Amino acid sequence: MSLTAGIVGLPNVGKSTLFNAITKKNILAANYPFATIDPNVGVVIVPDERLDYLNGLYKPKSLVPTTFEFTDIAGLVKGASNGEGLGNKFLSHIREVDAVCEVVRCFENNDIIHVENAVDPVRDIEIIEVELILADLEVVENRFNKIGKKASLSKDKEIQKEAAILTKLKETLEQNIPIRRIELTDDEKLYIKPFNLLTSKPIIYVANVSEDDLLVGDNKYLEELKRYAFQKDNAEVVVICAKVESDLCDMDKDEKNMFLSELGVSESGIDKLIKASYKLLGLKTFFTAGEDECRAWTFKDGMKAPQCAGIIHTDFERGFIKAEIMSYEDLKQNGSEKAVKEAGRMRLEGKEYIMQDGDICYFRFNV
């Protein structure tokens, strides 16, 4: 299941430094706008202590974690919707992602130029927001212009329905309100999906702070950002120090844990961001486990057992019979697969079973 989150923000907010740390790739990071022109895609491992436990229990020949994809998109600037700073190209890259991670500068540093000449997280967010709204408005208006007159003259209910949806979107965007902030019916969501509207995508704000502020745990810019994110989008704010994350990449596991302990944090900002992005997209994990392989699989919340079987192989879904399932918690509590069965906690589930996060599965099928 390939889903991706796009990392966006103004130039010089720490996007590429963060992306380098996320993927451990040496993507160009420079102290000037447009250091990154083409989007860079990196696949990262989703940290999951449950897979570590399965590895210790089964001692498999192969261990396969689940992964998540991040796309680094070059810095947007004011006027991007009109093509400023190669804006149209960058906006098209955002359309291709499923969620947005917006990096916001929350630190002072005279050596790093701010494209707007002063640190102001809310202003920075609003600059990007306006550009995304304008780009979406152009898409909606173009479509409305094609069918608007026809809808007013026609008695075709489908065309009238489409015109009503477009009118709702147009009025929303003209009020400088992102589409994600309004209520849409399931039909409306289905209709707008092909448009890939930029402001309809779920969002996480990533506060890039200094190392000193990471130790303190707060600063005035971070407070402003948190207040804005909660009031406007009820969105999560993940606090990171891109420089610290970059340093962590060069450390082994023990050094990393010691360094994080000295900072007074339990996990890295990148791990928090990966988990938050995974959650934002409604993603969960099921496992297959045995002596040959222990593997984590990504699925969308609400998927049924046959659909999840199909993630492994299409034949598994086509010939699905039953799923033999135990929960991770039951396995950990009982200590072995055999003990889970003896405790009556192993179960057979059919085609209507909705998969749960942490399910450990063996799929029975016949084709």
Side-chain angles (χ1 to χ4, degrees):
M1 177 169 293
S2 179
L3 291 172
T4 181
I7 301 175
V8 304
L10 292 177
N12 297 341
V13 298
K15 285 188 315 81
S16 292
T17 302
L18 175 62
F19 182 78
N20 290 350
I22 284 175
T23 60
K24 298 184 181 178
K25 290 182 180 179
N26 189 27
I27 304 303
L28 175 64
N31 182 24
Y32 55 88
F34 320 125
T36 312
I37 294 175
D38 293 317
N40 297 282
V41 179
V43 177
V44 296
I45 292 171
V46 177
D48 198 324
E49 61 189 21
R50 296 172 298 183
L51 192 61
D52 295 334
Y53 177 81
L54 294 178
N55 185 42
L57 184 66
Y58 286 92
K59 296 179 172 50
K61 297 172 186 174
S62 173
L63 185 71
V64 185
T66 190
T67 59
F68 189 78
E69 201 171 272
F70 281 100
T71 301
D72 179 38
I73 298 164
L76 291 166
V77 294
K78 193 180 291 183
S81 58
N82 294 319
E84 292 294 325
L86 302 178
N88 287 329
K89 186 175 182 180
F90 300 160
L91 291 173
S92 70
H93 294 153
I94 302 173
R95 291 199 191 282
E96 296 168 7
V97 303
D98 302 288
V100 173
C101 298
E102 184 169 337
V103 182
V104 185
R105 179 169 168 175
C106 292
F107 66 90
E108 297 274 7
N109 188 326
N110 293 330
D111 294 329
I112 300 177
I113 303 161
H114 192 293
V115 72
E116 293 293 322
N117 299 315
V119 178
D120 184 338
V122 172
R123 179 212 54 214
D124 292 354
I125 290 171
E126 289 176 343
I127 287 173
I128 289 179
E129 193 169 273
V130 165
E131 298 307 323
L132 302 187
I133 285 172
L134 289 173
D136 279 351
L137 187 57
E138 183 180 359
V139 170
V140 171
E141 286 180 333
N142 286 342
R143 180 59 185 165
F144 187 81
N145 290 338
K146 287 181 181 178
I147 71 153
K149 188 174 181 180
K150 186 177 180 182
S152 64
L153 299 173
S154 173
K155 292 183 179 179
D156 188 318
K157 289 185 178 179
E158 286 302 312
I159 293 177
Q160 291 177 348
K161 181 180 174 182
E162 183 177 2
I165 295 171
L166 289 168
T167 299
K168 180 178 180 177
L169 297 176
K170 185 170 178 289
E171 290 175 349
T172 298
L173 294 166
E174 285 174 343
Q175 296 173 58
N176 278 337
I177 299 172
I179 300 303
R180 66 176 176 273
R181 292 183 192 159
I182 63 170
E183 294 232 0
L184 295 172
T185 65
D186 289 341
D187 281 349
E188 288 170 336
K189 289 176 183 175
L190 193 62
Y191 170 76
I192 71 170
K193 189 174 181 180
F195 293 156
N196 274 330
L197 295 176
L198 303 170
T199 65
S200 69
K201 300 178 187 297
I203 193 166
I204 290 174
Y205 294 105
V206 183
N208 187 14
V209 301
S210 68
E211 188 171 347
D212 288 341
D213 287 330
L214 187 66
L215 287 166
V216 173
D218 228 335
N219 68 31
K220 65 178 182 179
Y221 301 121
L222 181 54
E223 282 304 306
E224 290 172 13
L225 174 57
K226 285 181 176 178
R227 189 160 49 247
Y228 179 93
F230 175 75
Q231 292 175 349
K232 295 290 187 177
D233 291 301
N234 194 26
E236 186 169 352
V237 174
V238 177
V239 182
I240 62 107
C241 172
K243 183 180 181 305
V244 166
E245 300 301 325
S246 183
D247 291 341
L248 285 169
C249 287
D250 299 323
M251 300 180 186
D252 62 31
K253 188 174 181 179
D254 290 339
E255 288 176 322
K256 180 178 174 180
N257 290 337
M258 186 180 299
F259 187 57
L260 291 173
S261 179
E262 289 172 358
L263 291 173
V265 294
S266 57
E267 61 181 340
S268 72
I270 286 177
D271 284 353
K272 289 179 183 176
L273 177 58
I274 294 168
K275 289 177 180 178
S277 302
Y278 201 69
K279 180 181 175 183
L280 183 69
L281 286 169
L283 301 179
K284 293 187 175 181
T285 303
F286 74 88
F287 302 93
T288 51
E291 292 181 357
D292 286 335
E293 179 185 82
C294 286
R295 182 163 184 162
W297 302 86
T298 299
F299 70 100
K300 284 278 280 185
D301 189 21
M303 287 178 70
K304 294 181 179 179
Q307 293 173 291
C308 289
I311 292 171
I312 299 175
H313 198 287
T314 52
D315 283 350
F316 284 22
E317 181 174 8
R318 187 159 57 90
F320 180 88
I321 301 173
K322 292 283 184 182
E324 189 173 325
I325 294 175
M326 60 180 167
S327 73
Y328 168 79
E329 291 302 328
D330 282 339
L331 178 61
K332 190 173 182 181
Q333 183 176 337
N334 288 279
S336 72
E337 202 171 301
K338 180 182 177 183
V340 172
K341 289 179 180 177
E342 290 173 348
R345 301 297 296 173
M346 184 77 76
R347 60 193 192 277
L348 282 178
E349 300 289 357
K351 293 182 178 180
E352 295 305 309
Y353 175 71
I354 296 174
M355 291 285 284
Q356 301 298 308
D357 187 59
D359 279 348
I360 302 168
C361 311
Y362 174 77
F363 293 107
R364 297 180 183 179
F365 71 102
N366 184 32
V367 290

